[in-house]
Amino acid sequence: MKIITSPLDKRTIESLKAGDMVALSGIVYTARDQAHKRLVGLINEGRPLPVALEGQTIYYTGPAPARPGAVVGSIGPTTSARMDPYTPVLLDYGVKAMIGKGARSPGVIDSIKQAGAVYLVATGGAAAYLAQFVVSAHVAAFADLGPEAIFALELAGLPLVVAIDSQGRSALWPDAS
Amino acid sequence: MKANYRARPDVLALLKEARNSGATPAGNQALEQLVANADIAASQALPLCQDCGYVTVFAEVGQDVAFDGSFETAVQVGVGQGYELGYLRTSVIQDALTERVRPEVERPANIYTTLVPGDTIKLTVMPKGGGSDNASRMAMLRPTAGVDEIVRFIVEAVAASGAAACPPLFVGVGIGGSFDSVGLLAKKALLRDFREPAQAPAAFEVEVRLLSEINKLGIGPAGLGGAVTALGVAVATDRTHIACLPVAVNISCNQLRSASGTL
Ligand code: SF4
């Protein structure tokens, strides 16, 4: 298993191949449907974003509430395809990596290639297990969205698979077969 | 709360069995993670998935039970409290058209009540994830459509969902009834113990065929390829109109959750 740290640098991204199993540490930002809608709205209006996303990693997830004293509740990936309409704009803006589950549209795969970015997947449904790799979490923007707010997460070795690499190759069914 | 913390025994047993049975290395890693997930969720009282679902309550109410107050309200309040006290994520919003953000805490559940003989109440709670409900489909097929067409419709629905429904899947199928009832039939099929086959030979045959064709798709755990796409198929059938052949497929993710209690 390859150990990588977010934000990912260009060399690391280029070294990742579809199908590689990796462990991700460092900082990532969560964003789901409503946060994507707002972020892209702001970008299209030419207004500043509440978090600087250039070079960063976005994790498609909305955590369960944390118990008192716990860092975070269960937290695992949500369906990436729902973010497809927004993803090319964010990649253009400078986002370099995304974490989610499931396939992406051909348009998104093209954008990933053009941006030299990478798409990683976590196991959907393993959210209690995946929570063990989150060492800190705080709301970074859009607090009014509840679980759909943007959280800054610090990860320690979150197990992921490279699903679409910077060359546009895919490890996901049906592209991989 | 139990439904969200504790893996169903049939689900966990089938996940364990599926390890090293034809998934890719990355797919096998996903299966190992799902088995570990069930342990962690139970021991730390964490929900099995961050999507703690949209709750359906199946209530079997004894007709000799006397109520003091509103049964419907009591169940809705109980579900809301379970989510609040149990640190579960409320994923249900107030109105699908006008309110996409504010969580619905007052009436979060779908409740289906049937009257049965006796003086007890049995509640079955089924929290279901949005990702896999999105992958579900229904169709009113021609009444002359045969098993082949039914199977094709269902396999296509699974194929279209790819990894979005969090495979390995459990597939609930309803055949018969009417437009409104067939979806419920498919959802209820997911309550069956997936280690047990259907009682009716015809339904059993369709189950075997569907399981084999779905697993031939090669989606694999988390969409990472290989043989393990579905862990079980449950087919339930019903009467229907001579002009109709309603078919519904309610796809469940690997986190198929339900729990029952009797009062
Ligand atoms: S589809 Fe199921 S396993 Fe996947 S995220 Fe939703 S609830 Fe969790």
Side-chain angles (χ1 to χ4, degrees):
Chain A
M1 178 140 7
K2 204 178 259 177
I3 295 162
I4 55 176
T5 305
S6 173
L8 298 169
D9 59 39
K10 193 162 178 271
R11 265 220 351 252
T12 307
I13 292 176
E14 282 169 359
S15 74
L16 297 174
K17 285 197 303 294
D20 284 354
M21 294 187 234
V22 299
L24 180 71
S25 297
I27 305 294
V28 303
Y29 294 94
T30 72
R32 292 174 47 100
D33 309 64
Q34 301 298 334
H36 271 76
K37 199 170 161 187
R38 286 192 190 179
L39 288 172
V40 168
L42 290 171
I43 293 173
N44 287 340
E45 288 165 23
R47 289 163 57 194
L49 299 188
V51 278
L53 289 176
E54 292 95 339
Q56 299 296 332
T57 303
I58 293 183
Y59 185 1
Y60 306 140
T61 183
R67 285 185 178 274
V71 170
V72 72
S74 294
I75 180 164
T78 195
T79 305
S80 307
R82 294 199 316 269
M83 317 309 156
D84 281 356
Y86 304 108
T87 299
V89 178
L90 287 167
L91 287 170
D92 252 8
Y93 185 84
V95 169
K96 284 294 174 204
M98 296 148 297
I99 306 168
K101 62 159 164 132
R104 309 306 302 259
S105 69
V108 167
I109 298 178
D110 272 353
S111 297
I112 289 173
K113 239 162 95 175
Q114 264 169 33
V118 64
Y119 169 54
L120 307 150
V121 291
T123 304
Y129 172 80
L130 296 171
Q132 314 297 305
F133 302 93
V134 179
V135 291
S136 80
H138 71 266
V139 175
F142 306 149
D144 61 304
L145 293 180
E148 294 213 60
I150 295 185
F151 291 80
L153 304 179
E154 189 186 344
L155 306 177
L158 184 74
L160 302 169
V161 177
V162 178
I164 299 169
D165 63 24
S166 55
Q167 309 284 310
R169 288 172 300 212
S170 172
L172 287 173
W173 182 89
D175 310 326
S177 49
Chain B
M1 274 156 51
K2 180 182 160 205
N4 261 301
Y5 298 151
R6 300 230 170 228
R8 267 171 48 165
D10 56 335
V11 170
L12 187 55
L14 289 165
L15 276 172
K16 285 185 175 165
E17 241 173 61
R19 293 176 296 181
N20 304 315
S21 69
T24 55
N28 268 316
Q29 175 184 261
L31 291 171
E32 293 290 353
Q33 290 175 356
L34 290 169
V35 171
N37 189 64
D39 269 350
I40 293 170
S43 65
Q44 299 185 19
L46 281 173
L48 288 153
C49 188
Q50 81 282 351
D51 181 350
C52 302
Y54 178 1
V55 168
T56 300
V57 178
F58 298 99
E60 288 168 53
V61 178
Q63 54 200 19
D64 301 333
V65 175
F67 289 105
D68 183 11
S70 159
F71 171 70
E72 161 96 21
T73 306
V75 174
Q76 295 286 10
V77 169
V79 171
Q81 278 178 357
Y83 273 64
E84 214 174 303
L85 301 175
Y87 295 91
L88 304 179
R89 197 185 86 188
T90 324
S91 311
V92 177
I93 36 115
Q94 209 54 256
D95 186 89
L97 185 60
T98 58
E99 179 55 88
R100 294 296 322 179
V101 175
R102 192 158 46 112
E104 162 73 281
V105 280
E106 313 246 294
R107 301 172 299 106
N110 279 349
I111 305 174
Y112 296 105
T113 305
T114 42
L115 280 179
V116 295
D119 61 356
T120 59
I121 298 175
K122 183 179 175 201
L123 296 177
T124 300
V125 175
M126 183 183 198
K128 192 164 179 314
S132 60
D133 235 33
N134 275 347
S136 302
R137 284 187 186 177
M138 74 89 66
M140 305 298 284
L141 300 181
R142 273 176 302 106
T144 51
V147 172
D148 286 353
E149 210 168 311
I150 295 173
V151 166
R152 198 178 327 130
F153 170 71
I154 294 162
V155 174
E156 272 172 19
V158 173
S161 75
C166 293
L169 308 171
F170 294 90
V171 181
V173 175
I175 303 172
S178 56
F179 173 76
D180 55 302
S181 70
V182 70
L184 188 55
L185 192 64
K187 182 149 275 183
K188 271 191 170 164
L190 291 170
L191 292 175
R192 207 175 74 196
D193 186 324
F194 273 87
R195 291 166 298 188
E196 313 283 340
Q199 298 292 324
F204 173 68
E205 241 173 75
V206 177
E207 286 176 4
V208 172
R209 222 177 116 185
L210 277 170
L211 187 61
S212 127
E213 296 210 10
I214 290 169
N215 280 328
K216 268 193 238 149
L217 287 171
I219 299 173
L224 295 165
V228 187
T229 300
L231 297 177
V233 179
V235 173
T237 63
D238 199 359
R239 65 182 168 256
T240 196
H241 190 284
I242 49 171
C244 304
L245 176 52
V247 178
V249 51
N250 195 202
I251 294 177
S252 168
C253 49
N254 60 72
Q255 291 306 344
L256 171 58
R257 291 156 286 184
S258 63
S260 296
T262 302
L263 307 171

